[in-house]
Amino acid sequence: MDAMEEDQPFELEAYASNYLGHARVERLLFIADKKQGTAFGDDALRLAVEELSQSENTQKYQEVAAKLGGNSVNRAQLEQKERKAAQRHDRLEAELNNYKTNLIKESIRMGHNDMGDFFYSRGDLQSAFKSYVRTRDYCTSGKHVIQMCLNVIKVSIELGNYVHVNNYISKAEQTAEVQKDPVVAGKLRAAGGLAALQAKKYKLAARKFAEVPSEMATQYQDVLSAQDVAVYGGLCALASFDRSELRSHVINNVTFRDYMEVNPEVRELVNDFYGSRYASCLNHLTRLRPMLDLDPYIHAHLNTLYASIRSKALVQYTTPFTSVNLPTMAEAFKTDISGLEKELAELIQSSQIQARIDSHNKVLYARHTDQRKATFQTALRTAEQYLGDTKALLLRANLLKHDFAQKQGEGQEQGHGRGGRRGGNGGGHGGGGHMAPHPYLGALGGYGLINPDLA
């Protein structure tokens, strides 16, 4: 990749068009921060200012416009927006108070929801979160619950509070309406995948993204795009799935295949990895890296994911062979022999590869398990477990045979009944008799069994 491609890793306007509202602005600002001082960063900042100028978030607009310098801010327009926002806030607050006075439940819910929308448009995420949560007590149908949960989830993702994201995903999934609407189900799974990604639960994230219905593709652009689902799901799957899981959940998954078609680089990456074309696979990863470094959600996980994918590729390459020529392997992975030896040594130390390295002859020899010894050890463990289970069953059978067990409720009832009347006799079948030590307790042998001569 030349310097020009590094400075401009992708078409910025086409990238921004995949998102709406806050998501577009936040991604552009993230790129501007990462590419600060470059033409690409300035272009991202300029697009962000243009987007903010059309929004109600005047405070954010002024902050970002100040970074560009100059007198591009229209003060008269800002003052007009501030006046309109203050008037709208007063009107919404008066309407909400009126609804509360009249105790109209549905109107109260809509009033809180409108207040949440107002605060969200102004960029006051904490106030928007509180307003959306307040609608919970006034929801009268599953549809209302889903709307409330999706609003809270969207705001929580922007706030970075993924505990709330998971909690409200669970609340929404408990409603029957979720199963009837694939778009809603897709949004919940995509948000769940994002939460799992941030928690570094890559396997769970891969499963969530792989389950996103294709109907959601362009319906969640205020949070994620279809390309994001393909990239996040594909990388997490390669880093955490084994071959059978990769085949069933990704390659043979018709729904997820639709998302990969939107991003051909990810499709080729997954197919090359599964087809053991490691040089091509690593080339795709290299080409994707500049764009992924500018992604606000996955950039912090790239080193871990890339290292895991490479390690799995190395393990997968060596598994079928009893010996591997290191120069040939180094050529396949586009690396030098000394670097490859270090990688293989780390995998051997972590027990991911059972092998030894002949550094002189540059050969990796597989260390196969002694199948005969392993079979005998398994048989011995199974026999010992069977013997222990059999002893336990015999002990229980003898205890039941000699009535050396207290039935539930019997001891207390009889102890206050017949046992209490017989007093010192302690005989008969009263509670006192069962609670007393059995005269043949000492007959339990070394194996934990009751003496079979007991009558």
Side-chain angles (χ1 to χ4, degrees), residues 69-320:
N71 297 319
S72 58
V73 177
N74 188 330
R75 295 294 173 185
Q77 185 182 14
L78 281 180
E79 291 175 3
Q80 184 181 7
K81 283 188 176 181
E82 290 287 353
R83 283 196 301 271
K84 286 184 178 180
Q87 293 171 2
R88 185 184 173 200
H89 178 265
D90 293 341
R91 177 175 56 80
L92 290 173
E93 202 167 51
E95 289 176 355
L96 181 58
N97 290 331
N98 183 46
Y99 297 148
K100 288 180 178 179
T101 303
N102 296 328
L103 299 177
I104 307 172
K105 197 169 185 179
E106 172 60 13
S107 297
I108 295 173
R109 184 192 71 82
M110 293 179 64
H112 281 303
N113 198 67
D114 290 341
M115 286 294 289
D117 291 342
F118 169 77
F119 287 126
Y120 184 76
S121 67
R122 296 284 291 169
D124 188 351
L125 299 179
Q126 290 290 353
S127 297
F129 177 82
K130 292 176 183 177
S131 294
Y132 287 138
V133 170
R134 289 188 184 113
T135 64
R136 179 177 54 187
D137 297 331
Y138 305 97
C139 293
T140 56
S141 68
K143 187 176 180 180
H144 294 163
V145 173
I146 289 172
Q147 183 186 16
M148 178 270 297
C149 289
L150 288 176
N151 286 331
V152 173
I153 288 167
K154 180 173 66 176
V155 176
S156 297
I157 288 174
E158 290 192 40
L159 289 170
N161 192 332
Y162 291 96
V163 174
H164 284 313
V165 173
N166 286 321
N167 288 341
Y168 282 88
I169 288 173
S170 299
K171 290 180 186 295
E173 288 178 341
Q174 292 171 7
T175 61
E177 284 79 359
V178 169
Q179 305 302 325
K180 303 174 184 176
D181 192 341
V183 173
V184 171
K187 289 181 178 180
L188 294 177
R189 289 193 180 98
L194 199 56
L197 175 63
Q198 300 310 310
K200 300 182 179 180
K201 298 177 180 178
Y202 301 124
K203 191 165 190 175
L204 177 60
R207 289 184 180 276
K208 292 288 186 182
F209 286 122
E211 293 171 355
V212 175
S214 55
E215 290 85 350
M216 192 220 72
T218 58
Q219 302 297 315
Y220 209 27
Q221 290 178 294
D222 51 348
V223 178
L224 294 174
S225 68
Q227 288 90 333
D228 293 331
V229 173
V231 171
Y232 300 168
L235 289 179
C236 290
L238 291 178
S240 59
F241 284 170
D242 57 34
R243 284 184 63 81
S244 61
E245 290 174 321
L246 190 64
R247 182 179 63 252
S248 60
H249 293 294
V250 178
I251 294 176
N252 293 339
N253 184 341
V254 178
T255 300
F256 193 71
R257 199 185 304 159
D258 291 339
Y259 284 102
M260 289 197 295
E261 291 297 329
V262 180
N263 198 323
E265 196 82 47
V266 175
R267 181 194 63 207
E268 296 302 321
L269 166 65
V270 172
N271 289 332
D272 285 341
F273 183 90
Y274 185 75
S276 302
R277 297 181 291 273
Y278 301 113
S280 177
C281 171
L282 296 175
N283 284 336
H284 288 303
L285 284 174
T286 302
R287 284 198 291 269
L288 281 170
R289 186 68 188 247
M291 183 183 72
L292 298 180
D293 279 329
L294 300 178
D295 186 289
Y297 294 118
I298 203 171
H299 79 283
H301 306 274
L302 287 179
N303 290 336
T304 302
L305 290 172
Y306 271 49
S308 180
I309 293 170
R310 186 175 178 84
S311 296
K312 286 173 71 69
L314 290 169
V315 172
Q316 196 168 286
Y317 184 95
T318 60
T319 299

Side-chain angles (χ1 to χ4, degrees), residues 1-10 31 34-35 38-41 286-287 289-291 293-294:
M1 182 177 291
D2 56 28
M4 184 67 177
E5 289 176 327
E6 289 180 357
D7 289 339
Q8 296 185 348
F10 51 85
I31 293 171
K34 286 286 186 178
K35 290 289 186 178
T38 66
F40 194 69
T286 302
R287 284 198 291 269
R289 186 68 188 247
M291 183 183 72
D293 279 329
L294 300 178

Side-chain angles (χ1 to χ4, degrees), residues 304-350:
T304 302
L305 290 172
Y306 271 49
S308 180
I309 293 170
R310 186 175 178 84
S311 296
K312 286 173 71 69
L314 290 169
V315 172
Q316 196 168 286
Y317 184 95
T318 60
T319 299
F321 306 109
T322 56
S323 64
V324 178
N325 184 270
L326 293 185
T328 304
M329 187 174 179
E331 184 179 352
F333 282 88
K334 302 298 181 184
T335 186
D336 58 277
I337 297 176
S338 61
L340 179 62
E341 283 189 30
K342 291 179 182 178
E343 290 184 88
L344 291 173
E346 291 176 0
L347 292 173
I348 291 171
Q349 289 176 350
S350 62

